[in-house]
Amino acid sequence: MNADLTKGSSEPSPEEENRPTPPIYSPNSIPTDGEIPGNIVAGMIGGVLSSIVAAIVWATISVVTGFQIGWAAIGVGFLVAYIVRIWGKGNTVAFGVIGAVFALLGCVLGNVLTIIGFVAQEYEVGIMEALISFDYAFLPELMIETAAPMDFLFYALALYSGYKYSIGDAGESEEEPEVA
């Protein structure tokens, strides 16, 4: 046996000094199959905020023009997906589900705000007064009454775009490619 091995020397050998330190991963951050885990919480916060903003914009356009513009639901889906993708920085299925769920919620909220906006116009009250004094027990009935078959197609497209475009590409990089 080598005398140095039995003494338990605490100094590293020259081979150990030159060995690179392996990266440290937590169990939840180990990428597999090109997946980038990202930040689920940031993606969800972005999804909530963007769905609210998109719903307000959609409702405002609908109330100002006097038409509930169904294809705007696709825009809601794209906006939510974009924000979830940028804020979450991940490319797993979880980000797609987050994007789809908040795209749908943004569409529903947009319809609710549009209905309340039309009620405010009808009764000649401000939007805040309409929001506060509205009897929300009638909301499901109003949602059903104002729904058109095409709305469900646009909701489906919003779900699809919210899912598909929330998932970043595994090959994407924020760095510029090297030019030879």
Side-chain angles (χ1 to χ4, degrees):
M1 259 189 148
N2 188 345
D4 289 336
L5 294 176
T6 58
K7 291 182 181 177
S9 172
S10 63
E11 293 186 26
S13 67
E15 294 85 23
E16 290 175 337
E17 286 180 359
N18 295 332
R19 188 179 322 153
T21 305
I24 298 173
Y25 292 106
S26 71
N28 295 331
S29 70
I30 299 174
T32 59
D33 298 329
E35 292 182 350
I36 302 169
N39 187 334
I40 295 283
V41 174
M44 290 179 78
I45 292 169
V48 168
L49 295 176
S50 61
S51 65
I52 292 169
V53 168
I56 291 170
V57 169
W58 182 17
T60 302
I61 292 169
S62 296
V63 171
V64 167
T65 63
F67 297 102
Q68 191 170 9
I69 304 166
W71 54 264
I74 300 168
V76 171
F78 279 118
L79 176 67
V80 170
Y82 178 76
I83 298 300
V84 168
R85 183 176 182 170
I86 297 301
W87 285 30
K89 295 182 174 125
N91 72 342
T92 62
V93 171
F95 288 94
V97 171
I98 291 168
V101 166
F102 286 113
L104 180 61
L105 290 176
C107 291
V108 171
L109 180 61
N111 279 339
V112 168
L113 293 175
T114 298
I115 289 169
I116 293 172
F118 286 146
V119 167
Q121 277 186 339
E122 180 70 26
Y123 290 100
E124 297 178 357
V125 296
I127 191 70
M128 290 308 292
E129 185 178 343
L131 281 167
I132 293 168
S133 62
F134 185 78
D135 186 357
Y136 289 94
F138 291 111
L139 188 59
E141 182 182 332
L142 285 172
M143 293 285 289
I144 292 169
E145 188 177 315
T146 60
M150 286 299 289
D151 290 344
F152 298 105
L153 171 66
F154 291 124
Y155 281 3
L157 291 171
L159 277 167
Y160 173 76
S161 62
Y163 178 84
K164 179 166 177 47
Y165 298 108
S166 291
I167 301 173
D169 183 15
E172 283 184 357
S173 174
E174 293 186 16
E175 298 175 8
E176 292 291 323
E178 291 185 27
V179 179

